[in-house]
Amino acid sequence: MSGEGSLRERLIDAGVDLVLAEGSASVGLREIARRAGVSHGVPRRWFPTHHALLSAIARRGFEDLGAWFVAAAADEPTPRAQLEAIARTYVRYALERRGMFELMFRHELLDSTLQQAAGEQPRLREATLPMFQHFTRMVASCRPGQEAEVTAAALWANLHGVAQLWAWGSLQLVLDQEGLAAEERDRLVMAVLDAHLGPVTS
């Protein structure tokens, strides 16, 4: 990687660390420059706006989540088992990388409207598509003949809701189990899958 490219990646690295530690609201070009050890004007050479910087950081989040998915499903023997592993991983990622997770889906904050030009990354909204397409393929493998895209969208929305409500403590409240363990959270994920795909039959 060239020195210029390496510096750009270093700036993104600093932004990722900041988002994970303090959330997206803490991210600014000046603070990124300070953490990367460069003058405050340097980040604008790659990120002309705050939204452009947040978009580059969020894209890293999608790459990271994709790697978690691959690792989670690698040793699972069936499409349903793979989807179960990915669903649990989605919720776990949301809780363990909360600042990043919240940023990744805040398209109104991100630089999603610029047209792709030569040498530029795809628009950030398009970074969501591979994840959704992966969900859709797995749903189709589990339930051939089903409206895979609609089911995958409903499944994704449901998992996202579990992640958010768990992070806020709402599920623990309504279930009257404030000390609810990860195993119980996984049971909720399985209930979501059963609701959308039907229970596993022997």
Side-chain angles (χ1 to χ4, degrees), residues 73-197:
D75 297 324
E76 299 296 343
T78 66
R80 177 62 180 255
Q82 291 168 7
L83 188 54
E84 290 171 3
I86 284 174
R88 290 192 300 270
T89 297
Y90 186 84
V91 174
R92 184 166 65 89
Y93 185 93
L95 298 173
E96 293 182 12
R97 301 282 193 275
R98 189 170 176 184
M100 179 65 78
F101 184 81
E102 290 175 353
L103 174 63
M104 286 161 60
F105 299 101
R106 292 290 304 277
H107 287 159
E108 81 280 7
L109 292 179
L110 303 172
D111 194 3
S112 301
T113 59
L114 297 178
Q115 293 298 315
Q116 185 178 353
E120 289 185 351
Q121 297 274 12
R123 290 176 299 172
L124 181 65
R125 285 186 182 181
E126 294 167 2
T128 311
L129 293 178
M131 183 198 71
F132 178 68
Q133 289 163 352
H134 189 50
F135 268 108
T136 301
R137 287 192 298 269
M138 299 197 79
V139 166
S141 296
C142 293
R143 294 292 299 272
Q146 204 169 25
E147 282 190 279
E149 283 194 351
V150 172
T151 302
L155 174 60
W156 175 28
N158 207 162
L159 291 172
H160 202 91
V162 167
Q164 290 285 26
L165 291 171
W166 187 278
W168 293 332
S170 300
L171 285 173
Q172 295 91 320
L173 175 66
V174 298
L175 294 173
D176 195 24
Q177 297 188 51
E178 293 190 8
L180 210 58
E183 292 79 9
E184 290 299 313
R185 189 180 71 227
D186 288 345
R187 287 181 61 197
L188 287 172
V189 171
M190 294 299 295
V192 169
L193 289 167
D194 288 347
H196 291 288
L197 301 176

Side-chain angles (χ1 to χ4, degrees), residues 17-26 31 35 99:
D17 291 344
L18 192 56
V19 166
L20 291 176
E22 301 180 26
S24 59
S26 65
E31 177 60 16
R35 286 177 173 243

Side-chain angles (χ1 to χ4, degrees), residues 29 43-56 109-111 114:
L29 294 173
R44 290 199 179 276
R45 287 156 58 183
W46 291 277
F47 311 110
T49 67
H50 185 232
H51 287 182
L53 173 61
L54 290 175
S55 296
L109 292 179
L110 303 172
D111 194 3
L114 297 178

Side-chain angles (χ1 to χ4, degrees), residues 8-74:
R8 182 182 186 278
E9 293 304 306
R10 200 167 89 218
L11 292 167
I12 298 172
D13 289 342
V16 169
D17 291 344
L18 192 56
V19 166
L20 291 176
E22 301 180 26
S24 59
S26 65
V27 176
L29 294 173
R30 283 180 176 269
E31 177 60 16
I32 295 298
R34 188 188 70 77
R35 286 177 173 243
V38 298
S39 66
H40 65 81
V42 168
R44 290 199 179 276
R45 287 156 58 183
W46 291 277
F47 311 110
T49 67
H50 185 232
H51 287 182
L53 173 61
L54 290 175
S55 296
I57 295 168
R59 185 172 287 108
R60 281 282 192 83
F62 281 108
E63 293 169 359
D64 191 32
L65 179 58
W68 281 44
F69 282 173
V70 170

